[in-house]
Amino acid sequence: MAMLPKTMDELLSTIEQFHKGLADHLTDCADDGSPEREQLLLSYLAQQEQKLAATLGVFRQKESLNSLNTWFYAYTDRHPITLRDPRETDFKNLDCEQICTEITNAHQQLIDLYTHLHERAESDSSRNTLSELLNIEQSNAKLLAREAVRAQEM
């Protein structure tokens, strides 16, 4: 799904909705008759995505208006930000390794986006906000990678 956020707040709102949508889809796939090992992994990933969405929601509430009102339109008008719709992936028909690859790719896309925007941020408040978001996403990606390895070892 292409997104054209005009401000940092719109960007965070869109990414928060992405994580919520991914969590809902993972839950649906886990409840839809996947093999037990994949079902456990999908349920775990759904919980983590829901936590990440909640974290972003709290982050948006606590962040200063200066950074949330930072405009990106000069960038996004020329370069739409594209996130795959999480519902395009049929997780219930994937094995643990394939599930982990899909989730890792989604998080890497967000890490790349935050890194790209951070490099182009013009104000300190925007750079700080993007740095925090990058840290949150990277930490979550590392946690998910560790858990994915554990799931594959089961």
Side-chain angles (χ1 to χ4, degrees), residues 26-46 91-92 94-96 99 154:
L26 291 167
T27 298
D28 292 346
C29 289
D31 294 343
D32 206 12
S34 298
E36 184 178 4
R37 190 168 77 139
E38 284 77 8
Q39 196 173 35
L40 291 171
L41 177 61
L42 289 169
S43 295
Y44 171 77
L45 292 172
F91 289 103
K92 67 179 176 270
L94 301 178
D95 63 26
C96 285
I99 292 167
M154 287 174 44

Side-chain angles (χ1 to χ4, degrees), residues 66-116:
N66 287 342
S67 64
L68 289 178
N69 289 330
T70 300
W71 288 87
F72 288 125
Y73 68 90
Y75 175 78
T76 57
D77 282 350
R78 287 177 275 153
H79 308 283
I81 298 166
T82 305
L83 288 174
R84 270 184 63 197
D85 183 347
R87 298 205 177 266
E88 290 177 5
T89 305
D90 189 12
F91 289 103
K92 67 179 176 270
N93 291 319
L94 301 178
D95 63 26
C96 285
E97 185 175 338
Q98 292 168 321
I99 292 167
C100 293
T101 298
E102 288 292 325
I103 297 298
T104 300
N105 289 343
H107 284 276
Q108 188 59 50
Q109 188 179 8
L110 292 173
I111 289 168
D112 292 345
L113 171 63
Y114 290 146
T115 300
H116 184 78

